Amino acid sequence: QVQLVESGGGLVQAGGSLRLACVDSGRTFSNYAMGWFRQAPGKEREFAAGYSRSGGRTYYADSVKGRFTISRDNDKKTVYLQMNSLKPEDTAVYYCALRYGSISPRNEEYDYWGQGTQVTVSS
């Protein structure tokens, strides 16, 4: 059974950085593509970044490209999201998700989700 636990959220000033981590307690982490999504109050959940199951391919939403970096460590069963140059509009609950297959920006195509971690960026 896959269980995802996010950590690393918090309150940061605009321009600051945070690194989120998502640990998978399941056994087949390397078989899944990984995604980070976020949901701001009153808005729909949106794709932020993704990492392929193999080949080291990464994908980013235009809104975070150049500022966020997704990485994964299969030995530690962990995916990271390094967030730099944070802006108030990055404030949201951030979720990690696994998908058995290729990366997708569609949240309905992901199989497992974490509980989320709050990121708040003050101006």
Side-chain angles (χ1 to χ4, degrees):
Q1 182 177 358
V2 175
Q3 185 172 3
L4 304 176
V5 179
E6 300 103 332
S7 62
L11 174 64
V12 64
Q13 289 188 333
S17 299
L18 283 174
R19 188 175 82 152
L20 306 182
C22 173
V23 180
D24 168 21
S25 63
R27 300 179 181 179
T28 55
F29 179 79
S30 59
N31 290 343
Y32 293 85
M34 303 295 303
W36 282 99
F37 291 78
R38 63 185 186 180
Q39 187 167 19
K43 296 187 177 181
E44 293 185 353
R45 190 173 299 185
E46 65 175 9
F47 174 81
Y51 200 108
S52 63
R53 181 175 60 180
S54 61
R57 294 183 299 275
T58 57
Y59 299 88
Y60 298 94
D62 288 342
S63 58
V64 308
K65 197 173 296 182
R67 299 187 298 122
F68 290 11
T69 302
I70 186 172
S71 60
R72 68 187 290 169
D73 184 331
N74 286 343
D75 291 336
K76 295 182 179 179
K77 296 183 178 179
T78 302
V79 61
Y80 302 96
L81 187 66
Q82 178 67 44
M83 305 185 295
N84 299 328
S85 302
L86 283 162
K87 305 175 182 180
E89 51 263 44
D90 294 318
T91 296
V93 177
Y94 283 72
Y95 299 89
C96 68
L98 274 68
R99 180 171 189 262
Y100 189 74
S102 57
I103 298 174
S104 170
R106 300 168 61 90
N107 57 31
E108 62 269 24
E109 295 184 355
Y110 282 74
D111 303 299
Y112 301 99
W113 291 84
Q115 83 289 350
T117 185
Q118 177 70 47
V119 171
T120 303
V121 184
S122 62
S123 57

PDB file of all heavy atoms in Angstrom, residues 46-81:
ATOM      1  N   GLU A  46      -4.021  22.587  -9.072  1.00  0.00           N
ATOM      2  CA  GLU A  46      -3.299  22.731 -10.326  1.00  0.00           C
ATOM      3  C   GLU A  46      -1.945  22.045 -10.269  1.00  0.00           C
ATOM      4  O   GLU A  46      -1.329  21.933  -9.214  1.00  0.00           O
ATOM      5  CB  GLU A  46      -3.111  24.217 -10.666  1.00  0.00           C
ATOM      6  CG  GLU A  46      -2.238  24.973  -9.704  1.00  0.00           C
ATOM      7  CD  GLU A  46      -1.990  26.418 -10.145  1.00  0.00           C
ATOM      8  OE1 GLU A  46      -2.622  26.884 -11.102  1.00  0.00           O
ATOM      9  OE2 GLU A  46      -1.132  27.069  -9.510  1.00  0.00           O
ATOM     10  N   PHE A  47      -1.513  21.607 -11.431  1.00  0.00           N
ATOM     11  CA  PHE A  47      -0.216  20.967 -11.581  1.00  0.00           C
ATOM     12  C   PHE A  47       0.881  22.010 -11.413  1.00  0.00           C
ATOM     13  O   PHE A  47       0.789  23.115 -11.960  1.00  0.00           O
ATOM     14  CB  PHE A  47      -0.148  20.336 -12.965  1.00  0.00           C
ATOM     15  CG  PHE A  47       1.180  19.748 -13.333  1.00  0.00           C
ATOM     16  CD1 PHE A  47       1.551  18.497 -12.887  1.00  0.00           C
ATOM     17  CD2 PHE A  47       2.058  20.448 -14.150  1.00  0.00           C
ATOM     18  CE1 PHE A  47       2.769  17.939 -13.238  1.00  0.00           C
ATOM     19  CE2 PHE A  47       3.278  19.914 -14.516  1.00  0.00           C
ATOM     20  CZ  PHE A  47       3.634  18.653 -14.056  1.00  0.00           C
ATOM     21  N   ALA A  48       1.933  21.632 -10.669  1.00  0.00           N
ATOM     22  CA  ALA A  48       3.077  22.522 -10.510  1.00  0.00           C
ATOM     23  C   ALA A  48       4.322  21.937 -11.172  1.00  0.00           C
ATOM     24  O   ALA A  48       5.009  22.623 -11.931  1.00  0.00           O
ATOM     25  CB  ALA A  48       3.343  22.789  -9.035  1.00  0.00           C
ATOM     26  N   ALA A  49       4.610  20.659 -10.883  1.00  0.00           N
ATOM     27  CA  ALA A  49       5.825  20.052 -11.415  1.00  0.00           C
ATOM     28  C   ALA A  49       5.663  18.544 -11.439  1.00  0.00           C
ATOM     29  O   ALA A  49       4.884  17.981 -10.661  1.00  0.00           O
ATOM     30  CB  ALA A  49       7.035  20.428 -10.564  1.00  0.00           C
ATOM     31  N   GLY A  50       6.407  17.894 -12.335  1.00  0.00           N
ATOM     32  CA  GLY A  50       6.344  16.445 -12.433  1.00  0.00           C
ATOM     33  C   GLY A  50       7.686  15.857 -12.782  1.00  0.00           C
ATOM     34  O   GLY A  50       8.537  16.527 -13.397  1.00  0.00           O
ATOM     35  N   TYR A  51       7.871  14.593 -12.379  1.00  0.00           N
ATOM     36  CA  TYR A  51       9.130  13.888 -12.636  1.00  0.00           C
ATOM     37  C   TYR A  51       8.780  12.524 -13.192  1.00  0.00           C
ATOM     38  O   TYR A  51       7.974  11.807 -12.613  1.00  0.00           O
ATOM     39  CB  TYR A  51       9.920  13.752 -11.344  1.00  0.00           C
ATOM     40  CG  TYR A  51      11.396  13.495 -11.529  1.00  0.00           C
ATOM     41  CD1 TYR A  51      12.326  14.485 -11.251  1.00  0.00           C
ATOM     42  CD2 TYR A  51      11.855  12.263 -11.983  1.00  0.00           C
ATOM     43  CE1 TYR A  51      13.682  14.256 -11.419  1.00  0.00           C
ATOM     44  CE2 TYR A  51      13.193  12.034 -12.169  1.00  0.00           C
ATOM     45  CZ  TYR A  51      14.109  13.028 -11.881  1.00  0.00           C
ATOM     46  OH  TYR A  51      15.443  12.816 -12.066  1.00  0.00           O
ATOM     47  N   SER A  52       9.407  12.162 -14.256  1.00  0.00           N
ATOM     48  CA  SER A  52       9.064  10.914 -14.924  1.00  0.00           C
ATOM     49  C   SER A  52       9.466   9.696 -14.102  1.00  0.00           C
ATOM     50  O   SER A  52      10.314   9.769 -13.212  1.00  0.00           O
ATOM     51  CB  SER A  52       9.747  10.862 -16.293  1.00  0.00           C
ATOM     52  OG  SER A  52      11.163  10.863 -16.140  1.00  0.00           O
ATOM     53  N   ARG A  53       8.856   8.573 -14.463  1.00  0.00           N
ATOM     54  CA  ARG A  53       9.184   7.304 -13.817  1.00  0.00           C
ATOM     55  C   ARG A  53      10.622   6.908 -14.115  1.00  0.00           C
ATOM     56  O   ARG A  53      11.328   6.387 -13.239  1.00  0.00           O
ATOM     57  CB  ARG A  53       8.219   6.230 -14.312  1.00  0.00           C
ATOM     58  CG  ARG A  53       8.425   4.860 -13.711  1.00  0.00           C
ATOM     59  CD  ARG A  53       7.348   3.916 -14.181  1.00  0.00           C
ATOM     60  NE  ARG A  53       7.320   3.759 -15.622  1.00  0.00           N
ATOM     61  CZ  ARG A  53       6.455   2.978 -16.269  1.00  0.00           C
ATOM     62  NH1 ARG A  53       5.530   2.337 -15.590  1.00  0.00           N
ATOM     63  NH2 ARG A  53       6.491   2.878 -17.567  1.00  0.00           N
ATOM     64  N   SER A  54      11.065   7.139 -15.305  1.00  0.00           N
ATOM     65  CA  SER A  54      12.443   6.831 -15.683  1.00  0.00           C
ATOM     66  C   SER A  54      12.921   7.884 -16.669  1.00  0.00           C
ATOM     67  O   SER A  54      12.119   8.613 -17.261  1.00  0.00           O
ATOM     68  CB  SER A  54      12.532   5.439 -16.306  1.00  0.00           C
ATOM     69  OG  SER A  54      11.749   5.377 -17.477  1.00  0.00           O
ATOM     70  N   GLY A  55      14.191   7.983 -16.857  1.00  0.00           N
ATOM     71  CA  GLY A  55      14.744   8.904 -17.836  1.00  0.00           C
ATOM     72  C   GLY A  55      15.039  10.287 -17.304  1.00  0.00           C
ATOM     73  O   GLY A  55      15.649  11.109 -17.994  1.00  0.00           O
ATOM     74  N   GLY A  56      14.618  10.575 -16.092  1.00  0.00           N
ATOM     75  CA  GLY A  56      14.966  11.853 -15.489  1.00  0.00           C
ATOM     76  C   GLY A  56      14.288  13.062 -16.109  1.00  0.00           C
ATOM     77  O   GLY A  56      14.787  14.186 -15.994  1.00  0.00           O
ATOM     78  N   ARG A  57      13.135  12.861 -16.752  1.00  0.00           N
ATOM     79  CA  ARG A  57      12.456  13.999 -17.369  1.00  0.00           C
ATOM     80  C   ARG A  57      11.626  14.742 -16.331  1.00  0.00           C
ATOM     81  O   ARG A  57      10.985  14.152 -15.483  1.00  0.00           O
ATOM     82  CB  ARG A  57      11.557  13.530 -18.502  1.00  0.00           C
ATOM     83  CG  ARG A  57      12.319  12.926 -19.678  1.00  0.00           C
ATOM     84  CD  ARG A  57      11.369  12.545 -20.795  1.00  0.00           C
ATOM     85  NE  ARG A  57      10.396  11.559 -20.377  1.00  0.00           N
ATOM     86  CZ  ARG A  57      10.625  10.250 -20.389  1.00  0.00           C
ATOM     87  NH1 ARG A  57      11.790   9.791 -20.768  1.00  0.00           N
ATOM     88  NH2 ARG A  57       9.682   9.412 -20.002  1.00  0.00           N
ATOM     89  N   THR A  58      11.678  16.071 -16.450  1.00  0.00           N
ATOM     90  CA  THR A  58      10.909  16.926 -15.549  1.00  0.00           C
ATOM     91  C   THR A  58      10.033  17.875 -16.350  1.00  0.00           C
ATOM     92  O   THR A  58      10.369  18.236 -17.488  1.00  0.00           O
ATOM     93  CB  THR A  58      11.830  17.738 -14.627  1.00  0.00           C
ATOM     94  OG1 THR A  58      12.730  18.519 -15.423  1.00  0.00           O
ATOM     95  CG2 THR A  58      12.636  16.823 -13.714  1.00  0.00           C
ATOM     96  N   TYR A  59       8.937  18.268 -15.742  1.00  0.00           N
ATOM     97  CA  TYR A  59       7.993  19.176 -16.390  1.00  0.00           C
ATOM     98  C   TYR A  59       7.498  20.176 -15.346  1.00  0.00           C
ATOM     99  O   TYR A  59       7.325  19.824 -14.185  1.00  0.00           O
ATOM    100  CB  TYR A  59       6.807  18.399 -16.967  1.00  0.00           C
ATOM    101  CG  TYR A  59       7.213  17.398 -18.015  1.00  0.00           C
ATOM    102  CD1 TYR A  59       7.583  16.104 -17.661  1.00  0.00           C
ATOM    103  CD2 TYR A  59       7.255  17.759 -19.356  1.00  0.00           C
ATOM    104  CE1 TYR A  59       7.983  15.193 -18.608  1.00  0.00           C
ATOM    105  CE2 TYR A  59       7.652  16.837 -20.317  1.00  0.00           C
ATOM    106  CZ  TYR A  59       8.016  15.552 -19.927  1.00  0.00           C
ATOM    107  OH  TYR A  59       8.418  14.652 -20.877  1.00  0.00           O
ATOM    108  N   TYR A  60       7.265  21.388 -15.809  1.00  0.00           N
ATOM    109  CA  TYR A  60       6.855  22.448 -14.901  1.00  0.00           C
ATOM    110  C   TYR A  60       5.723  23.260 -15.501  1.00  0.00           C
ATOM    111  O   TYR A  60       5.663  23.476 -16.714  1.00  0.00           O
ATOM    112  CB  TYR A  60       8.030  23.382 -14.606  1.00  0.00           C
ATOM    113  CG  TYR A  60       9.197  22.698 -13.922  1.00  0.00           C
ATOM    114  CD1 TYR A  60      10.255  22.185 -14.666  1.00  0.00           C
ATOM    115  CD2 TYR A  60       9.220  22.552 -12.536  1.00  0.00           C
ATOM    116  CE1 TYR A  60      11.312  21.538 -14.045  1.00  0.00           C
ATOM    117  CE2 TYR A  60      10.274  21.914 -11.909  1.00  0.00           C
ATOM    118  CZ  TYR A  60      11.315  21.408 -12.670  1.00  0.00           C
ATOM    119  OH  TYR A  60      12.360  20.777 -12.051  1.00  0.00           O
ATOM    120  N   ALA A  61       4.861  23.725 -14.619  1.00  0.00           N
ATOM    121  CA  ALA A  61       3.881  24.713 -15.041  1.00  0.00           C
ATOM    122  C   ALA A  61       4.612  26.009 -15.352  1.00  0.00           C
ATOM    123  O   ALA A  61       5.652  26.314 -14.746  1.00  0.00           O
ATOM    124  CB  ALA A  61       2.857  24.935 -13.941  1.00  0.00           C
ATOM    125  N   ASP A  62       4.080  26.778 -16.280  1.00  0.00           N
ATOM    126  CA  ASP A  62       4.725  28.034 -16.654  1.00  0.00           C
ATOM    127  C   ASP A  62       4.879  28.965 -15.453  1.00  0.00           C
ATOM    128  O   ASP A  62       5.835  29.727 -15.369  1.00  0.00           O
ATOM    129  CB  ASP A  62       3.913  28.725 -17.745  1.00  0.00           C
ATOM    130  CG  ASP A  62       4.021  28.024 -19.086  1.00  0.00           C
ATOM    131  OD1 ASP A  62       4.958  27.221 -19.264  1.00  0.00           O
ATOM    132  OD2 ASP A  62       3.160  28.272 -19.951  1.00  0.00           O
ATOM    133  N   SER A  63       3.950  28.886 -14.528  1.00  0.00           N
ATOM    134  CA  SER A  63       3.950  29.794 -13.385  1.00  0.00           C
ATOM    135  C   SER A  63       5.109  29.541 -12.431  1.00  0.00           C
ATOM    136  O   SER A  63       5.451  30.424 -11.633  1.00  0.00           O
ATOM    137  CB  SER A  63       2.628  29.687 -12.626  1.00  0.00           C
ATOM    138  OG  SER A  63       2.408  28.352 -12.200  1.00  0.00           O
ATOM    139  N   VAL A  64       5.716  28.362 -12.486  1.00  0.00           N
ATOM    140  CA  VAL A  64       6.805  28.047 -11.558  1.00  0.00           C
ATOM    141  C   VAL A  64       8.124  27.779 -12.279  1.00  0.00           C
ATOM    142  O   VAL A  64       9.164  27.631 -11.614  1.00  0.00           O
ATOM    143  CB  VAL A  64       6.455  26.826 -10.671  1.00  0.00           C
ATOM    144  CG1 VAL A  64       5.106  27.037  -9.995  1.00  0.00           C
ATOM    145  CG2 VAL A  64       6.471  25.532 -11.454  1.00  0.00           C
ATOM    146  N   LYS A  65       8.090  27.730 -13.585  1.00  0.00           N
ATOM    147  CA  LYS A  65       9.291  27.398 -14.354  1.00  0.00           C
ATOM    148  C   LYS A  65      10.393  28.394 -14.063  1.00  0.00           C
ATOM    149  O   LYS A  65      10.171  29.610 -14.059  1.00  0.00           O
ATOM    150  CB  LYS A  65       8.943  27.382 -15.841  1.00  0.00           C
ATOM    151  CG  LYS A  65       9.946  26.670 -16.726  1.00  0.00           C
ATOM    152  CD  LYS A  65       9.404  26.562 -18.148  1.00  0.00           C
ATOM    153  CE  LYS A  65       8.160  25.701 -18.217  1.00  0.00           C
ATOM    154  NZ  LYS A  65       7.649  25.561 -19.602  1.00  0.00           N
ATOM    155  N   GLY A  66      11.584  27.876 -13.806  1.00  0.00           N
ATOM    156  CA  GLY A  66      12.728  28.736 -13.508  1.00  0.00           C
ATOM    157  C   GLY A  66      12.882  29.051 -12.036  1.00  0.00           C
ATOM    158  O   GLY A  66      13.922  29.572 -11.615  1.00  0.00           O
ATOM    159  N   ARG A  67      11.850  28.753 -11.252  1.00  0.00           N
ATOM    160  CA  ARG A  67      11.911  29.029  -9.809  1.00  0.00           C
ATOM    161  C   ARG A  67      11.844  27.747  -8.980  1.00  0.00           C
ATOM    162  O   ARG A  67      12.441  27.675  -7.904  1.00  0.00           O
ATOM    163  CB  ARG A  67      10.751  29.940  -9.405  1.00  0.00           C
ATOM    164  CG  ARG A  67      10.770  31.292 -10.101  1.00  0.00           C
ATOM    165  CD  ARG A  67       9.686  32.216  -9.533  1.00  0.00           C
ATOM    166  NE  ARG A  67       8.344  31.693  -9.727  1.00  0.00           N
ATOM    167  CZ  ARG A  67       7.489  31.443  -8.737  1.00  0.00           C
ATOM    168  NH1 ARG A  67       7.856  31.668  -7.479  1.00  0.00           N
ATOM    169  NH2 ARG A  67       6.281  30.979  -8.994  1.00  0.00           N
ATOM    170  N   PHE A  68      11.105  26.762  -9.461  1.00  0.00           N
ATOM    171  CA  PHE A  68      10.938  25.507  -8.733  1.00  0.00           C
ATOM    172  C   PHE A  68      11.738  24.405  -9.431  1.00  0.00           C
ATOM    173  O   PHE A  68      11.873  24.392 -10.658  1.00  0.00           O
ATOM    174  CB  PHE A  68       9.468  25.082  -8.717  1.00  0.00           C
ATOM    175  CG  PHE A  68       8.566  25.925  -7.868  1.00  0.00           C
ATOM    176  CD1 PHE A  68       8.971  27.136  -7.333  1.00  0.00           C
ATOM    177  CD2 PHE A  68       7.268  25.501  -7.604  1.00  0.00           C
ATOM    178  CE1 PHE A  68       8.128  27.910  -6.553  1.00  0.00           C
ATOM    179  CE2 PHE A  68       6.406  26.253  -6.830  1.00  0.00           C
ATOM    180  CZ  PHE A  68       6.845  27.464  -6.317  1.00  0.00           C
ATOM    181  N   THR A  69      12.229  23.462  -8.617  1.00  0.00           N
ATOM    182  CA  THR A  69      12.951  22.311  -9.146  1.00  0.00           C
ATOM    183  C   THR A  69      12.447  21.049  -8.447  1.00  0.00           C
ATOM    184  O   THR A  69      12.461  20.972  -7.220  1.00  0.00           O
ATOM    185  CB  THR A  69      14.455  22.442  -8.916  1.00  0.00           C
ATOM    186  OG1 THR A  69      14.937  23.644  -9.531  1.00  0.00           O
ATOM    187  CG2 THR A  69      15.196  21.247  -9.523  1.00  0.00           C
ATOM    188  N   ILE A  70      12.013  20.092  -9.255  1.00  0.00           N
ATOM    189  CA  ILE A  70      11.571  18.814  -8.716  1.00  0.00           C
ATOM    190  C   ILE A  70      12.694  17.800  -8.871  1.00  0.00           C
ATOM    191  O   ILE A  70      13.417  17.801  -9.873  1.00  0.00           O
ATOM    192  CB  ILE A  70      10.280  18.316  -9.407  1.00  0.00           C
ATOM    193  CG1 ILE A  70       9.740  17.061  -8.729  1.00  0.00           C
ATOM    194  CG2 ILE A  70      10.519  18.085 -10.893  1.00  0.00           C
ATOM    195  CD1 ILE A  70       8.362  16.632  -9.241  1.00  0.00           C
ATOM    196  N   SER A  71      12.855  16.959  -7.875  1.00  0.00           N
ATOM    197  CA  SER A  71      13.863  15.902  -7.938  1.00  0.00           C
ATOM    198  C   SER A  71      13.333  14.693  -7.180  1.00  0.00           C
ATOM    199  O   SER A  71      12.368  14.805  -6.413  1.00  0.00           O
ATOM    200  CB  SER A  71      15.196  16.376  -7.351  1.00  0.00           C
ATOM    201  OG  SER A  71      15.049  16.747  -5.991  1.00  0.00           O
ATOM    202  N   ARG A  72      13.969  13.560  -7.419  1.00  0.00           N
ATOM    203  CA  ARG A  72      13.533  12.361  -6.713  1.00  0.00           C
ATOM    204  C   ARG A  72      14.732  11.505  -6.347  1.00  0.00           C
ATOM    205  O   ARG A  72      15.752  11.503  -7.052  1.00  0.00           O
ATOM    206  CB  ARG A  72      12.518  11.561  -7.536  1.00  0.00           C
ATOM    207  CG  ARG A  72      13.056  10.912  -8.784  1.00  0.00           C
ATOM    208  CD  ARG A  72      11.930  10.306  -9.609  1.00  0.00           C
ATOM    209  NE  ARG A  72      11.341   9.130  -8.977  1.00  0.00           N
ATOM    210  CZ  ARG A  72      10.213   8.560  -9.386  1.00  0.00           C
ATOM    211  NH1 ARG A  72       9.542   9.059 -10.415  1.00  0.00           N
ATOM    212  NH2 ARG A  72       9.749   7.481  -8.776  1.00  0.00           N
ATOM    213  N   ASP A  73      14.599  10.800  -5.249  1.00  0.00           N
ATOM    214  CA  ASP A  73      15.624   9.871  -4.795  1.00  0.00           C
ATOM    215  C   ASP A  73      14.918   8.535  -4.591  1.00  0.00           C
ATOM    216  O   ASP A  73      14.233   8.338  -3.595  1.00  0.00           O
ATOM    217  CB  ASP A  73      16.252  10.376  -3.491  1.00  0.00           C
ATOM    218  CG  ASP A  73      17.406   9.511  -3.012  1.00  0.00           C
ATOM    219  OD1 ASP A  73      17.398   8.294  -3.294  1.00  0.00           O
ATOM    220  OD2 ASP A  73      18.296  10.028  -2.339  1.00  0.00           O
ATOM    221  N   ASN A  74      15.094   7.637  -5.538  1.00  0.00           N
ATOM    222  CA  ASN A  74      14.367   6.363  -5.470  1.00  0.00           C
ATOM    223  C   ASN A  74      14.827   5.507  -4.295  1.00  0.00           C
ATOM    224  O   ASN A  74      14.040   4.751  -3.733  1.00  0.00           O
ATOM    225  CB  ASN A  74      14.523   5.588  -6.769  1.00  0.00           C
ATOM    226  CG  ASN A  74      13.702   6.175  -7.896  1.00  0.00           C
ATOM    227  OD1 ASN A  74      12.775   6.966  -7.679  1.00  0.00           O
ATOM    228  ND2 ASN A  74      14.048   5.831  -9.119  1.00  0.00           N
ATOM    229  N   ASP A  75      16.090   5.628  -3.922  1.00  0.00           N
ATOM    230  CA  ASP A  75      16.576   4.841  -2.778  1.00  0.00           C
ATOM    231  C   ASP A  75      15.893   5.276  -1.486  1.00  0.00           C
ATOM    232  O   ASP A  75      15.619   4.451  -0.619  1.00  0.00           O
ATOM    233  CB  ASP A  75      18.090   4.988  -2.647  1.00  0.00           C
ATOM    234  CG  ASP A  75      18.842   4.308  -3.767  1.00  0.00           C
ATOM    235  OD1 ASP A  75      18.278   3.375  -4.379  1.00  0.00           O
ATOM    236  OD2 ASP A  75      19.995   4.700  -4.034  1.00  0.00           O
ATOM    237  N   LYS A  76      15.625   6.559  -1.378  1.00  0.00           N
ATOM    238  CA  LYS A  76      14.955   7.084  -0.192  1.00  0.00           C
ATOM    239  C   LYS A  76      13.442   7.151  -0.372  1.00  0.00           C
ATOM    240  O   LYS A  76      12.735   7.569   0.551  1.00  0.00           O
ATOM    241  CB  LYS A  76      15.496   8.479   0.145  1.00  0.00           C
ATOM    242  CG  LYS A  76      16.964   8.492   0.553  1.00  0.00           C
ATOM    243  CD  LYS A  76      17.413   9.899   0.924  1.00  0.00           C
ATOM    244  CE  LYS A  76      18.871   9.906   1.363  1.00  0.00           C
ATOM    245  NZ  LYS A  76      19.334  11.274   1.717  1.00  0.00           N
ATOM    246  N   LYS A  77      12.970   6.788  -1.565  1.00  0.00           N
ATOM    247  CA  LYS A  77      11.538   6.847  -1.866  1.00  0.00           C
ATOM    248  C   LYS A  77      10.984   8.237  -1.560  1.00  0.00           C
ATOM    249  O   LYS A  77       9.919   8.392  -0.946  1.00  0.00           O
ATOM    250  CB  LYS A  77      10.769   5.786  -1.085  1.00  0.00           C
ATOM    251  CG  LYS A  77      11.151   4.360  -1.451  1.00  0.00           C
ATOM    252  CD  LYS A  77      10.300   3.364  -0.695  1.00  0.00           C
ATOM    253  CE  LYS A  77      10.642   1.938  -1.085  1.00  0.00           C
ATOM    254  NZ  LYS A  77       9.826   0.952  -0.336  1.00  0.00           N
ATOM    255  N   THR A  78      11.703   9.225  -2.017  1.00  0.00           N
ATOM    256  CA  THR A  78      11.350  10.599  -1.695  1.00  0.00           C
ATOM    257  C   THR A  78      11.398  11.455  -2.952  1.00  0.00           C
ATOM    258  O   THR A  78      12.294  11.302  -3.782  1.00  0.00           O
ATOM    259  CB  THR A  78      12.316  11.172  -0.640  1.00  0.00           C
ATOM    260  OG1 THR A  78      12.277  10.348   0.525  1.00  0.00           O
ATOM    261  CG2 THR A  78      11.931  12.595  -0.271  1.00  0.00           C
ATOM    262  N   VAL A  79      10.439  12.338  -3.072  1.00  0.00           N
ATOM    263  CA  VAL A  79      10.452  13.352  -4.118  1.00  0.00           C
ATOM    264  C   VAL A  79      10.495  14.714  -3.435  1.00  0.00           C
ATOM    265  O   VAL A  79       9.879  14.912  -2.386  1.00  0.00           O
ATOM    266  CB  VAL A  79       9.228  13.231  -5.052  1.00  0.00           C
ATOM    267  CG1 VAL A  79       7.923  13.410  -4.285  1.00  0.00           C
ATOM    268  CG2 VAL A  79       9.320  14.204  -6.211  1.00  0.00           C
ATOM    269  N   TYR A  80      11.252  15.621  -4.024  1.00  0.00           N
ATOM    270  CA  TYR A  80      11.461  16.943  -3.445  1.00  0.00           C
ATOM    271  C   TYR A  80      10.930  18.014  -4.396  1.00  0.00           C
ATOM    272  O   TYR A  80      10.872  17.817  -5.611  1.00  0.00           O
ATOM    273  CB  TYR A  80      12.950  17.189  -3.197  1.00  0.00           C
ATOM    274  CG  TYR A  80      13.612  16.182  -2.304  1.00  0.00           C
ATOM    275  CD1 TYR A  80      14.306  15.101  -2.858  1.00  0.00           C
ATOM    276  CD2 TYR A  80      13.562  16.301  -0.921  1.00  0.00           C
ATOM    277  CE1 TYR A  80      14.931  14.164  -2.041  1.00  0.00           C
ATOM    278  CE2 TYR A  80      14.180  15.369  -0.097  1.00  0.00           C
ATOM    279  CZ  TYR A  80      14.860  14.309  -0.666  1.00  0.00           C
ATOM    280  OH  TYR A  80      15.468  13.390   0.147  1.00  0.00           O
ATOM    281  N   LEU A  81      10.588  19.145  -3.811  1.00  0.00           N
ATOM    282  CA  LEU A  81      10.268  20.326  -4.593  1.00  0.00           C
ATOM    283  C   LEU A  81      11.005  21.500  -3.967  1.00  0.00           C
ATOM    284  O   LEU A  81      10.630  21.971  -2.884  1.00  0.00           O
ATOM    285  CB  LEU A  81       8.766  20.599  -4.638  1.00  0.00           C
ATOM    286  CG  LEU A  81       8.344  21.728  -5.572  1.00  0.00           C
ATOM    287  CD1 LEU A  81       8.623  21.352  -7.032  1.00  0.00           C
ATOM    288  CD2 LEU A  81       6.869  22.076  -5.388  1.00  0.00           C
TER     289      LEU A  81
END
